[in-house]
Amino acid sequence: MSKALVLAESRDGNLRNVSFEAIAAANLVADEVVVALIGQNVAADASQLAARGAHQVLVVEDERLQHYTPDGYGQVFMQLIERVAPDVIVFGHTSLGKDLSPKIAAKLQAGLISDVTSIEGTGTEASFIRPIYSGKAFEKVKVSEGKILFTVRPNNIEPLAEGASEGTVESVTVELKDLRTIVSEVVRKATGGVDLSEAKVIVAGGRGVKSADGFAPLQELADLLGGAVGASRGACDADYCDYALQIGQTGKVVTPDLYIACGISGAIQHLAGMSNAKVIVAINKDPEANIFSVADYGIVGDLFDVVPLLTAEFKKM
Ligand code: FAD
């Protein structure tokens, strides 16, 4: 019987949706799924994980683990690996997962399949699909020996429904020694309520937005649709918005249900971060703009006319 260990992520008291997606992915590959929930005051979230595909949730709480550090989380996770002895280890492809997973893989002398968007087959026969060459192609990876470690890209694998499992919850004490870093406080820039990498709807602006104020109609539309605002690097470089909003090869990779690109030309580096969105709407004055090559719906027009019209129409619904 194969076992998986999944690292769940909780931020500001909320479980990140990618945790449920990682659990669903683990259930495709292993027979038994154990979930690690690490932090401070996170135990209340364990029952949600236990009901959505986890057979067991191991909760590790310590005030020194309130914020992620590679040192602290690495120590805890390695002790949990020793305890669970998993065949499969799953992380979200988040900034935390991207930081911790290669360190764990190196410690275990195992390979790592990063940024998995889907899984074909089950168990040891499973193949992992991941984008390569900035999303221009996909490769299929199979692991022939040793532990299987992989990260799952948010918004790609369907989470299991509530009631999928009736897992147990156990509080675990681990040893933390010689911690080199402890984060005492995190000061975040205000970038809106919805997490860009997990947003179902993204309204993104490019250099065509022309100024920081030009983002206001995009923000209004995003708020109305319960989504987040994103940006091209062109807009970030021009100082219209913060780099935290940048989408693309050197920014965030997103897979929302709906991506509305406003005044974005569609450079290959931008497409690398958003071309897997389920539905893409492009608004651009230039009918030849490359963004239309990946768009499901294209609107040739001035974004300052089109976006308010869209907002007005959505308000009627
Ligand atoms: P532009 O290319 O200037 O396009 C602006 C568009 O707005 C034009 O198509 C124009 O027709 C349209 N427009 C203007 N006014 C209006 C209006 N009123 N209404 C409607 N349309 C209008 N870019 C990224 O986005 N993300 C990355 O992660 C990224 N990483 C990079 C990494 C490297 C190594 C390099 C070299 C580049 C990277 N870039 C990245 C930059 C990328 O090559 C482009 O320069 C950038 O994406 C262009 O941004 P843009 O589309 O906003 O600007």
Side-chain angles (χ1 to χ4, degrees):
M1 208 167 86
S2 60
K3 254 189 187 181
L5 179 62
V6 177
L7 179 64
E9 282 186 48
S10 172
R11 190 193 277 176
D12 302 329
N14 293 312
L15 278 172
R16 299 195 69 178
N17 207 38
V18 72
S19 309
F20 300 111
E21 295 163 0
I23 293 172
N27 269 282
L28 292 173
V29 189
D31 304 307
E32 189 186 335
V33 175
V34 181
V35 175
L37 182 59
I38 303 170
Q40 194 196 13
N41 300 328
V42 290
D45 292 333
S47 58
Q48 288 182 59
L49 299 163
R52 295 183 66 183
H55 300 100
Q56 187 184 27
V57 184
L58 301 178
V59 182
V60 181
E61 291 190 301
D62 189 299
E63 60 179 355
R64 292 168 291 176
L65 298 168
Q66 183 180 3
H67 301 293
Y68 170 72
T69 62
D71 193 15
Y73 273 53
Q75 284 191 34
V76 172
F77 205 60
M78 283 307 292
Q79 289 176 56
L80 294 180
I81 288 171
E82 243 170 66
R83 177 190 171 120
V84 175
D87 310 285
V88 179
I89 302 176
V90 193
F91 305 84
H93 196 68
T94 57
S95 39
L96 189 161
K98 282 188 271 186
D99 190 65
L100 187 62
S101 57
K103 294 181 172 72
I104 299 292
K107 282 206 160 80
L108 298 173
Q109 303 223 320
L112 172 69
I113 312 166
S114 71
D115 206 12
V116 169
T117 52
S118 64
I119 297 171
E120 282 178 8
T122 52
T124 49
E125 289 307 306
S127 300
F128 301 86
I129 317 295
R130 61 185 295 271
I132 52 170
Y133 305 129
S134 298
K136 286 205 253 346
F138 286 86
E139 72 176 2
K140 198 186 268 192
V141 185
K142 240 177 152 164
V143 180
S144 51
E145 58 174 47
K147 287 191 196 303
I148 302 176
L149 274 75
F150 65 97
T151 67
V152 292
R153 183 184 282 198
N155 276 351
N156 278 268
I157 291 169
E158 194 61 34
L160 298 172
E162 177 105 40
S165 59
E166 288 179 9
T168 55
V169 176
E170 194 181 327
S171 180
V172 178
T173 310
V174 297
E175 207 185 328
L176 282 171
K177 50 182 178 191
D178 305 327
L179 283 183
R180 282 163 292 182
T181 45
I182 295 170
V183 178
S184 53
E185 192 189 359
V186 173
V187 182
R188 282 210 185 89
K189 286 192 178 170
T191 52
V194 182
D195 183 339
L196 193 54
S197 50
E198 295 199 333
K200 297 284 180 203
V201 176
I202 294 177
V203 184
R207 214 174 270 148
V209 167
K210 295 197 175 65
S211 67
D213 291 343
F215 268 93
L218 278 62
Q219 186 71 59
E220 191 185 353
L221 179 56
D223 289 345
L224 188 68
L225 299 176
V229 165
S232 71
R233 178 154 143 193
C236 301
D237 285 347
D239 216 10
Y240 302 161
C241 61
D242 194 88
Y243 280 101
L245 301 190
Q246 186 186 321
I247 291 164
Q249 188 183 320
T250 44
K252 294 201 167 72
V253 174
V254 296
T255 320
D257 292 341
L258 173 62
Y259 189 88
I260 306 179
C262 312
I264 295 177
S265 60
I268 189 69
Q269 296 90 353
H270 187 76
L271 302 189
M274 47 63 74
S275 58
N276 284 331
K278 293 183 185 93
V279 176
I280 299 173
V281 177
I283 305 166
N284 199 301
K285 281 204 298 201
D286 175 7
E288 302 296 325
N290 191 47
I291 191 77
F292 290 125
S293 68
V294 295
D296 298 284
Y297 300 94
I299 304 172
V300 178
D302 189 316
L303 72 94
F304 294 105
D305 296 330
V306 177
V307 174
L309 280 174
L310 283 177
T311 306
E313 284 303 314
F314 280 120
K315 273 186 183 161
K316 290 181 196 162
M317 295 168 87

